[in-house]
Amino acid sequence: MISSVRLRNPTFTSAQFFSTQKCSLGKVEYCSLPNIQYPKQSMLCFHKPLHISSAESFALVAKTQKRDSTRCEAYEADRSRRIEKIFDLPDQQARKETAQTLRISVYFATWWALNVVFNIYNKKVLNVFPFPWLTSTLSLATGSLMMLISWAVGIAEAPKTDTDFWKTLFPVAVAHSIGHVAATVSMANVAVSFTHIIKSGEPAFSILVSRLFLGETFPTSVYLSLLPIIGGCALAAVTEINFNMIGFMGAMISNLAFVFRNIFSKKGMKGKSVSGMNYYACLSMLSLLILIPFAIAVEGPQAWAAGWKTALAQIGPNFVWWVAAQSIFYHLYNQVSYMSLDQISPLTFSIGNTMKRISVIVSSIIIFRTPIQPVNCLGAAIAIFGTFLYSQGNKGNKSSKK
């Protein structure tokens, strides 16, 4: 009987090997069948005898015909179960890798573009309507409404969740709410570029929290990467022309909150079968419920009404479009970033996040004509370069853990 089938290089055609379409092979302990230059050898082992029912393209009989795969079909002796194996050819594998690379590139380009647009409109709104708590709440409310409509009309499939899912999501939502509001408070008080320069120091908080609270250790290269990160952020801060302590502390608190958000997310969401898009939708909804009472307590409807009236008087109807745009683009860029996590590694995501900050910093300086000194640019460059070094050093740490 055939107890195993190993794929090797082709030396004959299927017609030369099989005299009929179906044949029962007797007590054969081992049978060599051709291999189509696949990177890994495949080994199929069965305890029952096999009867070969068909074999297609084993030797690529016609060289002029291109085939994407080799199909081998067989039945166990009692014919109770059909066995089928598809072997991809190298050219098909190359096409898959090219398609994956293209998909990731589209994700990154979309993510960066949406984030730049959000930051521009968010800053425009905050310049004439300095209510960061309400602005943050509207962003989460808009995203939640968009996803509820998508689920209702069938554009996206609603996630299947239970009580445990929402329990594990709650600390993530708390940290997300704090980080979101803190970042918005920062941008309401300082330039967009300065906020993102300080937020590029997030890896330093990640190492600190992981070391103190989780007991994780990192290679020396990761610790050394903190020097340019901290030094660059400090240089950019002390040379900032329009430095504001509230804006600076807002960016720092945002860094810390988002680090805890990532830690809670990794620890609590293991084994949960929810897509990145739906995960962020649920996170937005829960964060919205957490944020609403605090926004009312800190700012209040009366202040919002007065500020809204003033903004409309200054800008006109375009102000409504600014608010809608910053809310919509906030949800879209975060949704795309979470969707990209389903397709790429955390390291690639980290590098992409670093490049995103560069695009936001440069575009905001150009659009808002932010006055900036050469030494301030140097500090930003050093901090971002340190973030890149952190990504590369942390790559080795993750590989060693595996």
Side-chain angles (χ1 to χ4, degrees):
M1 66 178 179
I2 298 178
S3 60
S4 65
V5 178
R6 183 186 298 274
L7 300 177
R8 295 186 180 277
N9 291 330
T11 56
F12 47 79
T13 66
S14 56
Q16 292 172 331
F17 185 77
F18 301 106
S19 57
T20 60
Q21 183 179 2
K22 296 184 179 180
C23 63
S24 175
L25 301 181
K27 297 182 178 181
V28 180
E29 293 293 330
Y30 183 86
C31 179
S32 295
L33 294 179
N35 181 29
I36 310 300
Q37 296 297 329
Y38 198 66
K40 297 180 180 179
Q41 286 190 335
S42 299
M43 185 72 179
L44 307 178
C45 296
F46 304 93
H47 297 291
K48 299 178 182 179
L50 296 179
H51 294 277
I52 303 297
S53 63
S54 67
E56 302 175 1
S57 308
F58 272 124
L60 299 178
V61 179
K63 295 183 178 180
T64 58
Q65 296 178 351
K66 293 184 178 179
R67 296 178 181 269
D68 289 340
S69 60
T70 295
R71 182 184 299 273
C72 178
E73 298 179 358
Y75 290 94
E76 292 183 359
D78 59 3
R79 300 184 67 83
S80 61
R81 183 169 63 91
R82 181 177 180 178
I83 305 165
E84 183 174 295
K85 182 73 175 177
I86 301 291
F87 303 100
D88 292 333
L89 293 177
D91 58 340
Q92 186 183 34
Q93 182 68 19
R95 288 199 299 270
K96 289 181 178 179
E97 292 177 355
T98 302
Q100 178 69 1
T101 302
L102 180 61
R103 187 181 301 111
I104 292 173
S105 300
V106 171
Y107 271 126
F108 273 3
T110 306
W111 177 23
W112 297 344
L114 292 173
N115 188 262
V116 168
V117 174
F118 158 72
N119 278 276
I120 291 172
Y121 279 108
N122 184 243
K123 185 59 177 177
K124 283 186 173 183
V125 170
L126 292 172
N127 283 341
V128 296
F129 186 72
F131 295 94
W133 288 81
L134 177 59
T135 304
S136 302
T137 303
L138 291 176
S139 299
L140 295 174
T142 301
S144 300
L145 180 62
M146 290 170 61
M147 288 308 302
L148 287 174
I149 295 175
S150 298
W151 293 339
V153 301
I155 298 177
E157 184 179 357
K160 297 179 180 179
T161 61
D162 52 21
T163 305
D164 290 337
F165 172 84
W166 293 102
K167 285 181 179 179
T168 56
L169 188 64
F170 182 77
V172 183
V174 171
H176 181 71
S177 301
I178 296 173
H180 178 36
V181 171
T184 309
V185 169
S186 176
M187 285 196 286
N189 290 274
V190 295
V192 175
S193 57
F194 180 71
T195 297
H196 282 273
I197 291 172
I198 301 303
K199 284 178 66 64
S200 65
E202 185 176 324
F205 288 88
S206 179
I207 294 174
L208 179 64
V209 171
S210 299
R211 187 72 181 89
L212 295 179
F213 293 93
L214 302 179
E216 294 185 6
T217 58
F218 300 89
T220 305
S221 59
V222 172
Y223 291 113
L224 291 177
S225 69
L226 295 182
L227 296 177
I229 292 175
I230 297 175
C233 289
L235 182 62
V238 299
T239 58
E240 174 67 19
I241 297 176
N242 299 315
F243 179 82
N244 181 280
M245 181 56 71
I246 296 178
F248 174 76
M249 292 304 299
M252 296 289 279
I253 293 173
S254 177
N255 282 340
L256 186 61
F258 283 142
V259 166
F260 276 107
R261 180 195 65 178
N262 296 338
I263 291 175
F264 291 146
S265 181
K266 290 177 183 177
K267 294 183 65 176
M269 298 309 299
K270 289 182 178 179
K272 303 295 182 181
S273 57
V274 177
S275 67
M277 179 177 66
N278 284 334
Y279 176 76
Y280 180 70
C282 295
L283 179 62
S284 296
M285 295 173 188
L286 190 54
S287 298
L288 175 63
L289 296 178
I290 295 171
L291 187 57
I292 287 176
F294 290 96
I296 294 175
V298 174
E299 294 175 346
Q302 292 183 349
W304 294 339
W308 189 273
K309 185 177 180 179
T310 302
L312 281 176
Q314 292 179 2
I315 306 301
N318 283 339
F319 171 71
V320 179
W321 158 246
W322 290 0
V323 174
Q326 71 94 28
S327 302
I328 293 172
F329 283 107
Y330 173 80
H331 174 78
L332 291 178
Y333 102 75
N334 276 285
Q335 180 175 291
V336 171
S337 70
Y338 272 84
M339 290 171 63
S340 67
L341 277 173
D342 291 338
Q343 306 290 331
I344 61 179
S345 67
L347 174 64
T348 305
F349 183 86
S350 177
I351 296 174
N353 197 41
T354 302
M355 300 304 295
K356 177 205 73 175
R357 296 209 186 282
I358 296 175
S359 63
V360 171
I361 291 171
V362 173
S363 61
S364 65
I365 291 175
I366 295 173
I367 292 174
F368 294 108
R369 298 179 181 177
T370 305
I372 188 169
Q373 299 176 356
V375 67
N376 194 261
C377 294
L378 178 62
I382 292 174
I384 293 172
F385 179 67
T387 304
F388 176 77
L389 293 179
Y390 164 81
S391 303
Q392 297 300 309
N394 207 28
K395 176 182 179 181
N397 184 47
K398 292 177 180 178
S399 301
S400 61
K401 287 181 180 180
K402 294 179 181 179

